[in-house]
């Protein structure tokens, strides 16, 4: 959890303001135009061949490293700190680099930074590969206090699964945040569950609660005469309904495919679902595009799950 590898970090090309000339500017600009370099931020470039091979979050990690170099660098926070620590983040990678700012300067976006006003900038700050970053504990609390409930739950679920105590999150939240932010943080921290298997499962569980459906069991073990079928994402025992979030990563990731082709993964998933159905319950499945009340609600209602609130 505390290790950090930023692909391409040591290939960054920095053009210092003190020794940059018009010729240097023109040289780098032309290299960008030719597709040889990518401008990560002002005065910082990387070979395009490396950039093209990076995932969106790795590109953001690289942008963070490019932005906060130097002794006077700001403290990385919120989603940018979450990206560095590996916290579950929902949605697209951040555009700007999140950093802490003084209350006098206020919260604002400028120059590629999203500055978050904080009177407690030096509380829970860690050194990570030469960068000043809010600690894992504070990063999760800041995310839970600043993000919508579903996204905050994903961060808290990740923290609990990585051994951070709920009480520690709650204690820090009480010391750092305004009434509105505290309310958001407390709700996400109380709802968090270490058994969540992915950010999509976390968002699904939060949305299920928001829509008034009964809470599901998490990671229920199912077996048949052939042995273990697997652990299900969600199970409503009273209604004999299994819920499965399909994040699609298992089809794309070589690591998760474990040597199988995407077609073989699809076949294995179909067999697994057939075995689950054969034990008695119905199975409802959904994907990221279904994570809204307008889409997930009808899926669950159509599968026979009633709203109880």
């Amino acid at each position: 959890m505390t290790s950090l590898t930023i692909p391409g970090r040591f290939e960054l090309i920095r053009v210092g303001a003190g020794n940059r000339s018009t010729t240097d500017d023109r040289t780098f600009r032309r290299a960008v135009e030719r597709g040889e370099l990518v401008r990560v931020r002002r005065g910082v470039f990387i070979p395009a061949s490396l950039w093209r091979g990076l995932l969106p979050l790795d590109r953001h990690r690289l942008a963070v490293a490019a932005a906060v170099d130097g002794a006077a660098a700001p403290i990385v926070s919120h989603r940018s700190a979450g990206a560095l620590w590996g916290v579950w983040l929902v949605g697209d990678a951040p555009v700007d680099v999140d950093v802490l700012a003084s209350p006098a300067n206020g919260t604002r976006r400028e120059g590629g930074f999203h500055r978050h006003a904080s009177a407690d900038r030096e509380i829970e700050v860690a050194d990570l590969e030469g960068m000043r970053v809010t600690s894992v504990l504070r990063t999760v609390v800041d995310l839970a206090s600043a993000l919508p409930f579903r996204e905050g739950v994903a961060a808290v679920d990740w923290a609990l699964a990585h051994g951070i105590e709920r009480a520690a999150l709650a204690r820090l939240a009480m010391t750092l945040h305004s009434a509105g932010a505290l309310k958001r943080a407390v709700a996400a921290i109380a709802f968090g569950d270490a058994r969540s298997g992915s950010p999509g499962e976390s968002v699904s569980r939060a949305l299920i609660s928001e829509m008034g459906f009964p809470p599901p069991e998490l990671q229920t073990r199912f077996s048949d005469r052939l042995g273990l079928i697997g652990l299900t994402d969600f199970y409503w025992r009273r209604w004999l309904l299994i819920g499965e979030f399909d994040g699609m990563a298992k089809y794309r990731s070589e690591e998760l495919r474990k040597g199988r082709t995407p077609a073989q993964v699809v076949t294995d998933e179909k067999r697994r679902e057939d075995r689950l159905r054969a034990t008695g319950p119905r199975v409802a499945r959904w994907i990221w595009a279904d994570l809204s009340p307008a889409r997930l609600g009808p899926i669950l209602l159509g599968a026979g799950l009633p709203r109880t609130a």
Side-chain angles (χ1 to χ4, degrees):
M1 185 169 62
T2 56
S3 62
L4 172 68
T5 300
I6 302 178
R9 181 180 184 186
F10 296 106
E11 284 75 27
L12 287 173
I13 301 167
R14 300 180 183 273
V15 184
N19 57 18
R20 187 169 60 205
S21 67
T22 303
T23 302
D24 292 330
D25 287 340
R26 188 179 301 117
T27 299
F28 283 100
R29 186 170 63 249
R30 287 176 176 172
V32 171
E33 292 170 353
R34 290 193 301 268
E36 297 169 358
L37 294 178
V38 170
R39 180 179 178 272
V40 179
R41 63 182 295 114
R42 184 174 182 179
V44 185
F45 303 85
I46 190 172
S49 58
L50 288 171
W51 182 260
R52 285 192 294 267
L54 297 178
L55 297 172
L57 273 181
D58 282 328
R59 290 181 176 183
H60 184 69
R61 294 182 182 109
L62 196 61
V64 172
V68 300
D69 181 57
I75 299 168
V76 182
S77 67
H78 293 78
R79 282 168 59 83
S80 293
L84 294 178
W85 290 117
V87 178
W88 285 344
L89 300 177
V90 177
D92 296 333
V95 175
D96 298 323
V97 176
D98 292 300
V99 297
L100 298 182
S102 70
N105 292 327
T107 297
R108 65 192 190 280
R109 294 180 186 270
E110 63 178 10
F113 288 102
H114 184 182
R115 302 182 186 276
H116 300 264
S118 172
D120 304 294
R121 282 173 293 165
E122 297 298 330
I123 293 179
E124 287 288 338
V125 175
D127 182 280
L128 186 60
E129 296 290 322
M131 295 179 287
R132 300 186 74 207
V133 182
T134 52
S135 69
V136 178
L137 180 66
R138 176 164 183 181
T139 297
V140 172
V141 170
D142 283 344
L143 291 173
S145 70
L147 296 177
F149 178 66
R150 300 170 205 169
E151 298 179 34
V153 166
V156 173
D157 283 355
W158 177 91
L160 296 176
H162 283 79
I164 296 177
E165 295 183 355
R166 193 187 311 272
L169 293 168
R171 282 195 299 270
L172 186 61
M174 294 295 293
T175 66
L176 291 179
H177 298 92
S178 65
L182 177 61
K183 183 178 180 180
R184 286 190 294 273
V186 167
I189 292 167
F191 192 79
D193 195 310
R195 295 172 295 173
S196 184
S198 71
E201 292 177 34
S202 298
V203 173
S204 296
R205 195 176 85 258
L207 181 55
I208 287 165
S209 176
E210 289 176 357
M211 292 188 295
F213 288 105
E217 298 176 18
L218 304 186
Q219 309 302 327
T220 303
R221 176 183 290 266
F222 277 84
S223 300
D224 60 11
R225 60 183 178 80
L226 298 176
L228 177 66
I229 302 173
L231 303 178
T232 57
D233 299 339
F234 308 104
Y235 182 47
W236 290 270
R237 191 177 300 271
R238 177 179 172 184
W239 292 275
L240 286 177
L241 177 63
I242 291 169
E244 294 277 85
F245 170 77
D246 192 343
M248 309 307 287
K250 65 173 72 75
Y251 307 107
R252 302 186 184 119
S253 167
E254 292 184 9
E255 179 181 355
L256 295 179
R257 291 205 309 264
K258 298 179 180 178
R260 298 172 295 171
T261 66
Q264 288 171 328
V265 175
V266 171
T267 299
D268 290 346
E269 284 295 300
K270 177 64 167 59
R271 288 173 178 165
R272 176 180 181 274
E273 185 169 322
D274 288 343
R275 290 175 66 189
L276 287 171
R277 292 182 192 277
T279 66
R282 300 177 303 281
V283 179
R285 303 184 71 91
W286 58 88
I287 61 177
W288 275 110
D290 297 319
L291 289 183
S292 69
R295 297 188 64 162
L296 185 56
I299 289 173
L300 295 177
L301 289 169
L305 186 66
R307 282 191 169 96
T308 56

